[in-house]
């Protein structure tokens, strides 16, 4: 029996449920999840291995049109994932605002020339259940195959999960060996994942435009510190006025973010940790190329 391995890019609109779907498929917390759109900022890999093959899921930022700054970086990331993946997964949510949003995703994957299938998400939303058949027909009309899943309802449904994984494996090319160590479920290191967890907690705790102007930088990570590992992180805001919002009255907000992030990082690391959070203002960092590079959002030159 041939062994298969390759990259499967998740393509969809912001808030289509790509990160939730990838975490479900890999059966681990890999990508951060928020009810707010455009949470994913860079491609994240989730790895699922079996004796028959290996799927490397690539969670791309949601599709947006932009040329500059952070939004330009997000748009380029999504485009690069389409170009570099072996196969594509169109992630279509039943609560898409407009039919053309789903049409755009289907058109992009079907015109890519790569093998592809679609997954219809959020099927547990009863008042929009009729949209499952509409989306399924749109996919079939474009020559694709559609699966539907409600991650919310099927957290413990390993049969559904494994059936999907077997289908997705068929899309991938043959490979002489796995592309990554089969013990790994992501290529992210603990430092990167800790940074993303802190940013996820900021998204959940803060409102309006504040989370979108936030970046997180791990200043120091003392993994061998005694009695527990120590992480010193900086929450970077894009406006001076946002600093007070992140800190909160009597430092209540920053304490809440820190407490929730610490618990999540401890789960990840399997041990107690010390987490120190500070807030720094770097006005308009998201439109400053040097600052974006410093914060991990590298914009490749288009020479």
């Amino acid at each position: 029996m041939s062994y298969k391995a390759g990259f499967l890019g998740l393509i969809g609109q912001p808030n289509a449920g790509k990160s939730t779907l990838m975490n479900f498929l890999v059966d681990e917390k890999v990508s951060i999840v928020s009810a707010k759109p455009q949470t994913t900022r860079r491609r994240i890999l989730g790895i699922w291995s079996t004796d028959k093959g290996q799927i490397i899921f690539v969670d791309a930022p949601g599709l947006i049109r932009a040329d500059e700054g952070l939004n330009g970086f997000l748009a380029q990331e999504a485009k690069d994932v389409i170009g570099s993946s072996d196969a594509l997964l169109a992630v279509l949510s039943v609560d898409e605002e407009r039919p053309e949003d789903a049409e755009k995703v289907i058109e992009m994957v079907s015109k890519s020339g790569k093998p592809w299938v679609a997954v219809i998400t959020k099927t547990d939303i009863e008042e929009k259940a009729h949209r499952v058949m509409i989306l399924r027909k749109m996919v079939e009309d474009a020559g694709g195959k559609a699966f539907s899943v409600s991650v919310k309802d099927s957290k413990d449904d390993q049969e559904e999960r494994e059936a999907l994984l077997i289908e997705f494996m068929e899309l991938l090319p043959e490979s002489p060996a796995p592309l990554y160590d089969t013990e790994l479920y992501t290529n992210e290191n603990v430092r990167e994942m800790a940074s993303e967890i802190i940013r996820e907690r900021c998204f959940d705790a803060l409102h309006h435009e504040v989370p979108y102007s936030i970046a997180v930088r791990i200043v120091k990570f003392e993994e061998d510190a005694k009695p527990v590992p120590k992480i010193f992180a900086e929450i970077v805001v894009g406006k001076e006025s946002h600093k007070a919002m992140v800190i909160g009255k009597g430092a209540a907000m920053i304490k809440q973010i820190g407490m929730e992030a610490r618990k999540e990082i401890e789960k990840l690391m399997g041990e107690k940790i010390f987490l120190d959070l500070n807030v720094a203002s770097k006005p308009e960092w998201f439109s400053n190329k040097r600052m974006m590079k410093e914060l991990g959002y590298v914009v490749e030159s288009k020479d």
Side-chain angles (χ1 to χ4, degrees), residues 117-184:
V117 293
V119 170
I120 302 164
T121 61
K122 305 187 186 181
T123 56
D124 56 292
I125 303 175
E126 287 182 21
E127 64 272 23
K128 294 181 178 174
H130 64 284
R131 292 188 178 181
V132 173
M133 295 308 295
I134 296 169
L135 288 168
R136 192 179 289 278
K137 185 168 188 320
M138 286 166 68
V139 170
E140 289 168 357
D141 286 350
K145 192 174 180 182
F147 303 90
S148 56
V149 62
S150 169
V151 173
K152 194 175 178 182
D153 290 342
S154 53
K155 259 184 181 168
D156 301 318
D157 192 346
Q158 292 305 308
E159 282 184 22
E160 179 182 11
R161 180 178 155 267
E162 287 180 19
L164 285 171
L165 289 164
I166 290 165
E167 289 280 354
F168 300 159
M169 186 79 77
E170 289 302 308
L171 301 171
L172 300 178
E174 290 188 8
S175 175
L179 303 178
Y180 285 87
D181 183 333
T182 55
E183 295 298 310
L184 294 176

Side-chain angles (χ1 to χ4, degrees), residues 14-86:
N15 217 25
K18 297 184 299 299
S19 299
T20 303
L21 177 64
M22 185 170 82
N23 290 345
F24 166 69
L25 292 168
V26 177
D27 205 19
E28 293 283 356
K29 172 72 176 282
V30 178
S31 212
I32 71 171
V33 175
S34 169
K36 298 180 177 75
Q38 283 177 243
T39 312
T40 303
R41 284 188 181 164
R42 58 189 175 81
R43 69 195 84 170
I44 305 282
L45 302 189
I47 304 164
W48 181 74
S49 304
T50 176
D51 55 356
K52 294 175 184 173
Q54 185 178 69
I55 305 174
I56 299 106
F57 294 98
V58 190
D59 183 12
L63 301 173
I64 53 174
R65 283 187 169 276
D67 297 315
E68 297 179 352
L70 180 62
N71 280 345
F73 170 81
L74 300 182
Q76 190 59 43
E77 280 282 276
K79 185 180 173 187
D80 289 350
V81 166
I82 292 172
S84 60
S85 295
D86 295 297

Side-chain angles (χ1 to χ4, degrees), residues 227-242:
V228 295
K230 293 181 178 178
I231 299 175
F232 298 85
E234 189 175 69
I235 297 172
V236 179
V237 294
K239 292 180 181 177
E240 187 63 37
S241 60
H242 288 172

